[in-house]
Amino acid sequence: MLEHRVQIQSWGGFAEGCNNLFAHPLLSEIGAKHGKSGAQAALPRLTRRGVVANPKSVRAERMAENIDVFDFELTDDQMAAIATLDTGSFLFFDHRDPAVVGQFGKRRLND
């Protein structure tokens, strides 16, 4: 992606809290070691991997929390531990499925 000057972005880095993400024991434990929340522990993994994170919230305190993640660094072990949370499955829909992609195209043409 870098070769083609493409920047990956995470528009759903918290997956809308699916799978109890905000209270996940691993993230909560890592966050506590840094004086942060579990959600705050997840964001630096994205940025350290070169992913632009776009966490969303309608709550002012969560917006402030999402910005307050640049004063600590995850260890390599913490990065690896967080990586184990990736199940390899999609929580909403599979972007690689031609039928799903086709539905988006149909919606756009009919709008």
Side-chain angles (χ1 to χ4, degrees), residues 14-58:
F14 292 144
E16 296 181 9
C18 289
N19 295 336
N20 201 27
L21 179 79
F22 296 120
H24 193 283
L26 174 65
L27 293 175
S28 296
E29 177 185 333
I30 291 171
K33 288 181 180 178
H34 296 283
K36 303 291 181 180
S37 71
Q40 286 174 297
L43 281 174
R45 182 172 183 276
L46 293 172
T47 57
R48 183 165 159 189
R49 294 177 60 225
V51 177
V52 173
N54 184 19
K56 297 169 239 158
S57 181
V58 297

Side-chain angles (χ1 to χ4, degrees), residues 14 36-37 39-40 43-44 47 53-57 59-72:
F14 292 144
K36 303 291 181 180
S37 71
Q40 286 174 297
L43 281 174
T47 57
N54 184 19
K56 297 169 239 158
S57 181
R59 296 173 49 193
E61 63 272 10
R62 290 279 190 236
M63 290 178 198
E65 189 176 275
N66 290 340
I67 284 287
D68 188 26
V69 295
F70 298 103
D71 60 346
F72 74 102

